[in-house]
């Protein structure tokens, strides 16, 4: 038996497409998995702090307590500048595979998103070889394993799926590399699985994430960038890649054998890029919450990025060098703007990055270095004012509100949530089409284009998360009660016979 438990993650694979194509016979592996195993829908954080989806899957702990919600550029209490989450700030001991390792279980960990390297690990780790998100750098443990692997740390066909041209030939080349990445990942996983009898074999496919972001407009006829005359290979790119992943998952299940419990899950989904949240910086400026200089600088940066994409590739290293010399900040200061709005005591509230949702942080006295807003009644009144104005925003053509809900951190995660969380989270409607323009009596009309030469993504995340479970004692064809992504970690530990710590917020799924 190659493993007692195998966990296979599909990063941002749209579950509704998997279910549809499995039903049509296009994904026979998932059709068999559905017929011979149990399937469940998982709730998630995609309408509060979407970037926390993988930390919640990996730890079983709510983002409300651990606060890792936007790895590329997050605000930390006591700091005025956005910065990446550092690897040293992520405790690998919270991950379920590390908990299994600590009890003597033999564990293989291959390419799980947003996983920091574990220490004193009883097994092997290959970190960030072929993922969409790479934050901590590729690594391998034990290091000597690299000499015996069919891959090198830097040789996945895709380094950044956003870095491609706009021609059909460029997209075709990107698809070829993504398909090659799936094939190499499957070969690597089968090789490692067969090397020993693992207690836990844990892996993920990241190519599903990339193909959804980059190729959605080829598939979706409702998309403004859709070209009905594009080659069929591109219009069917997402389906083709899902088929390749389907073959890989089926091969892993066959290699595992009937005595292995297999858990396959789609972390979150992919659909039409709607936007809306990119309007928030200008909305806050119009409301008098943020400096207009910051908005002006943001516009100039976007214009510079558009120009940069048109320059020859040979110029890019020089541009990076100039950025490293701090010339961006100097240019910013020359127009009176600040690199980070929370560096200004004039700012009352600022929009933060938050993936598919909006997020707003108050410039609170005693919490931020240049705090402006008094905690208590003043902060509460400001939150009420912002919420009211956001709910008043309308889409001009339909005259419909563009915001479906605005929630506070306390409403979403309780009074004792982590201090690094945004104060407000904003969910935009997805049934109005592309949200590039809004209006209200107070802010007037605001138009910010969603698509530019610097934003090639045409697919964005959806709230769909699923889990398929197959193995001894699992009832075939059963529909599981709805669970949550927080339930994955305790479910795996229970299957391994590892005690579930009381720090986990999830519960084992009833399989």
């Amino acid at each position: 038996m190659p493993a007692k438990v195998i966990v296979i993650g599909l990063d941002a694979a749209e579950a509704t497409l998997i279910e549809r194509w499995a039903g049509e016979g296009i994904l026979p592996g998932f059709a068999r998995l559905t017929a011979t195993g149990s399937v469940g829908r998982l709730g998630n954080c995609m309408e509060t702090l979407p970037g926390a989806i993988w930390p919640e899957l990996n730890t079983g702990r709510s983002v409300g307590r651990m606060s890792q919600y936007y790895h590329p550029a997050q605000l930390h209490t006591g700091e005025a500048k956005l910065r990446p989450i550092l690897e040293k700030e992520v405790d690998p001991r919270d991950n379920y595979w590390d908990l299994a390792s600590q009890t003597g279980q033999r564990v293989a960990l291959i390419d799980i998103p947003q996983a920091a390297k574990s220490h004193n690990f009883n097994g092997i780790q290959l970190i960030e070889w072929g993922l969409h998100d790479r934050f901590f750098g590729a690594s391998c443990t034990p290091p000597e394993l690299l000499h015996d692997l069919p891959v090198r740390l830097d040789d996945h066909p895709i380094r950044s799926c956003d870095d491609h041209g706009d021609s059909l030939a460029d997209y075709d080349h990107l698809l070829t590399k993504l398909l090659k990445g799936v094939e190499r990942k499957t070969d690597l996983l089968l090789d490692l699985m067969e090397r020993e009898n693992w207690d836990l074999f844990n892996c993920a496919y990241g190519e599903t994430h990339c193909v959804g972001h980059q190729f959605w407009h080829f598939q979706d006829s409702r998309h403004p960038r859709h070209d009905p005359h594009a080659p069929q290979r591109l219009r069917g790119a997402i389906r083709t890649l899902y088929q390749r992943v389907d073959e890989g998952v089926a091969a892993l299940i066959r290699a595992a054998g009937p005595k292995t419990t297999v858990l396959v899950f789609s972390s979150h989904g992919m659909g039409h890029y709607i936007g809306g949240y990119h309007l928030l910086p200008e909305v806050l400026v119009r409301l008098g919450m943020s400096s207009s200089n910051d908005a002006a600088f943001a516009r100039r940066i976007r214009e510079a990025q558009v120009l940069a994409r048109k320059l020859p590739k040979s110029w890019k290293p020089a541009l990076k060098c100039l950025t490293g010399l701090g010339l961006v900040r100097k240019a910013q200061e020359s127009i009176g703007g600040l690199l980070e709005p929370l560096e200004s005591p004039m700012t009352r509230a600022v929009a933060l990055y938050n993936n598919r949702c909006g997020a707003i942080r108050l410039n609170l006295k005693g919490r931020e270095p240049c705090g402006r807003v008094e905690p208590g009644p003043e902060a509460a009144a400001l939150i009420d004012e912002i919420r009211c104005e956001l709910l008043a925003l309308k889409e001009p053509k339909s005259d419909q509100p563009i915001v479906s809900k605005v929630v506070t951190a306390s409403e979403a995660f309780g009074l004792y949530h982590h201090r690094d969380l945004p104060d407000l989270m904003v969910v935009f409607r997805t049934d109005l089409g592309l949200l590039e323009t809004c209006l209200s009596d107070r802010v007037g009309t605001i138009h910010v284009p969603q698509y530019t030469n610097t934003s090639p993504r045409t697919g964005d995340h959806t709230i769909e998360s699923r889990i398929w479970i197959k193995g001894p004692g699992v009832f075939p064809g059963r529909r599981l009660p709805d669970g949550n992504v927080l339930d994955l970690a305790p479910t795996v530990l229970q299957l391994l016979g590892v005690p579930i710590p009381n720090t986990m917020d999830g519960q084992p799924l009833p399989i």
Side-chain angles (χ1 to χ4, degrees):
M1 181 173 65
K4 182 177 180 181
V5 176
I6 294 179
V7 181
I8 306 171
L10 308 181
D11 190 13
E14 176 57 33
T16 60
L17 292 180
I18 293 175
E19 291 168 340
R20 188 180 93 199
W21 289 335
E24 295 172 354
I26 295 171
L27 302 179
F30 272 95
R32 287 192 298 272
L33 185 58
T34 302
T36 59
S38 297
V39 184
R41 181 186 295 270
L42 300 177
N44 52 45
C45 54
M46 296 305 292
E47 290 194 332
T48 50
L49 297 169
I53 190 75
W54 277 101
E56 289 201 341
L57 284 161
N58 296 343
T59 66
R61 301 182 65 206
S62 168
V63 63
R65 295 197 294 125
M66 61 180 173
S67 83
Q68 297 161 19
Y69 67 88
Y70 197 80
H71 280 63
Q74 184 173 317
L75 191 69
H76 298 72
T77 298
E79 301 177 9
K81 300 179 182 179
L82 300 172
R83 64 168 175 82
I85 295 174
L86 304 177
E87 186 173 10
K88 66 182 180 181
E89 294 173 319
V90 179
D91 192 344
R93 294 173 297 179
D94 291 331
N95 297 324
Y96 65 82
W97 55 82
D98 198 284
L99 293 168
S101 168
Q102 293 169 26
T103 64
Q105 305 274 341
R106 189 68 175 160
V107 180
L109 177 72
I110 302 96
D111 259 4
I112 298 298
Q114 298 177 11
K117 182 171 60 179
S118 296
H119 306 286
N120 302 316
F121 195 66
N122 184 28
I124 62 172
Q125 302 175 86
L126 182 60
I127 304 291
E128 296 191 357
W129 172 70
L131 293 178
H132 172 268
D133 294 315
R134 295 180 172 96
F135 301 125
F136 306 134
S139 63
C140 182
T141 306
E144 56 269 22
L145 177 65
L146 272 178
H147 302 302
D148 195 30
L149 287 180
V151 300
R152 303 274 73 83
L153 286 181
D154 60 352
D155 68 352
H156 188 275
I158 300 290
R159 299 308 301 165
S160 171
C161 61
D162 288 321
D163 188 14
H164 61 84
D166 299 327
S167 71
L168 295 178
D170 290 326
Y171 277 103
D172 189 88
H173 184 55
L174 175 62
L175 177 58
T176 296
K177 292 194 291 184
L178 286 171
L179 293 172
K180 184 64 175 178
V182 173
E183 293 173 1
R184 296 191 66 193
K185 175 67 70 64
T186 298
D187 291 342
L188 171 65
L189 296 176
L190 290 171
D191 178 295
L192 293 174
M193 183 188 294
E194 294 170 358
R195 293 191 181 199
E196 60 179 281
N197 291 327
W198 305 97
D199 293 299
L200 172 61
F201 191 90
N202 206 32
C203 60
Y205 286 93
E207 294 82 2
T208 45
H209 196 149
C210 291
V211 78
H213 273 322
Q214 307 301 330
F215 288 86
W216 192 264
H217 62 295
F218 287 109
Q219 171 178 291
D220 191 343
S221 61
R222 300 167 300 170
H223 198 282
R225 286 189 174 182
H226 179 71
D227 178 4
H229 305 295
Q232 176 57 39
R233 172 174 156 85
L234 298 182
R235 286 185 284 125
I238 296 176
R239 183 178 61 188
T240 300
L241 188 129
Y242 279 30
Q243 286 176 304
R244 203 67 55 88
V245 170
D246 180 77
E247 294 167 2
V249 170
L252 292 170
I253 293 175
R254 286 195 301 271
K259 295 183 179 180
T260 298
T261 299
V262 180
L263 297 89
V264 182
F265 66 92
S266 60
S267 58
H268 51 318
M270 192 69 69
H272 195 307
Y273 212 131
I274 300 297
Y277 43 83
H278 68 299
L279 299 170
L280 287 181
E282 185 66 27
V283 168
L284 292 178
V285 168
R286 300 279 186 97
L287 293 175
M289 307 290 178
S290 296
S291 167
S292 60
N293 287 332
D294 298 320
F297 179 72
R299 286 193 292 271
R300 294 197 185 184
I301 286 294
R302 285 197 298 270
E303 292 168 359
Q305 289 172 334
V306 171
L307 176 61
R309 275 185 66 87
K310 297 179 180 178
L311 294 175
K313 291 184 178 180
S314 60
W315 288 33
K316 291 185 178 180
L319 290 175
K320 290 182 180 180
C321 180
L322 292 176
T323 302
L325 292 174
L327 296 185
V328 169
R329 172 178 281 276
K330 291 181 180 178
Q332 195 171 18
E333 292 171 347
S334 71
I335 63 170
L338 293 164
L339 187 62
E340 300 293 345
L342 286 180
E343 287 184 314
S344 170
M346 301 303 294
T347 296
R348 292 193 292 160
V350 62
L352 302 177
Y353 297 118
N354 191 30
N355 207 288
R356 68 183 296 273
C357 297
I360 295 172
R361 176 96 163 178
L362 303 189
N363 196 15
L364 204 63
K365 287 184 178 180
R367 185 181 69 181
E368 320 303 346
C370 302
R372 164 79 182 275
V373 180
E374 289 285 353
E378 182 180 346
L382 184 58
I383 285 175
D384 289 343
E385 178 186 357
I386 294 173
R387 193 198 312 246
C388 180
E389 295 300 331
L390 292 178
L391 293 173
L393 296 174
K394 293 186 177 182
E395 195 276 322
K397 292 181 180 179
S398 65
D399 199 38
Q400 291 290 311
I402 67 170
V403 173
S404 62
K405 59 183 175 180
V406 181
V407 297
T408 67
S410 296
E411 290 166 349
F413 301 108
L415 184 61
Y416 301 105
H417 57 80
H418 199 285
R419 296 188 75 201
D420 288 356
L421 300 188
D423 294 302
L424 286 169
M425 289 151 284
V426 187
V427 181
F428 289 85
R429 290 176 60 176
T430 60
D431 61 338
L432 298 175
L434 189 62
L435 298 177
E436 294 185 309
T437 306
C438 67
L439 60 83
S440 73
D441 291 340
R442 184 167 170 187
V443 305
T445 300
I446 294 174
H447 177 75
V448 181
Q450 177 65 62
Y451 297 113
T452 69
N453 288 338
T454 60
S455 58
R457 300 180 183 184
T458 57
D460 198 10
H461 296 299
T462 71
I463 64 173
E464 300 293 341
S465 299
R466 295 287 191 282
I467 189 165
W468 295 260
I469 306 176
K470 177 183 183 297
V474 178
F475 192 79
R478 178 189 176 200
R479 191 75 187 185
L480 295 172
D482 288 352
N484 193 280
V485 295
L486 296 168
D487 300 335
L488 174 70
T491 299
V492 175
L493 294 183
Q494 184 179 73
L495 289 168
L496 293 170
V498 175
I500 300 170
N502 57 15
T503 55
M504 286 190 174
D505 297 299
Q507 299 292 326
L509 294 167
I511 58 177

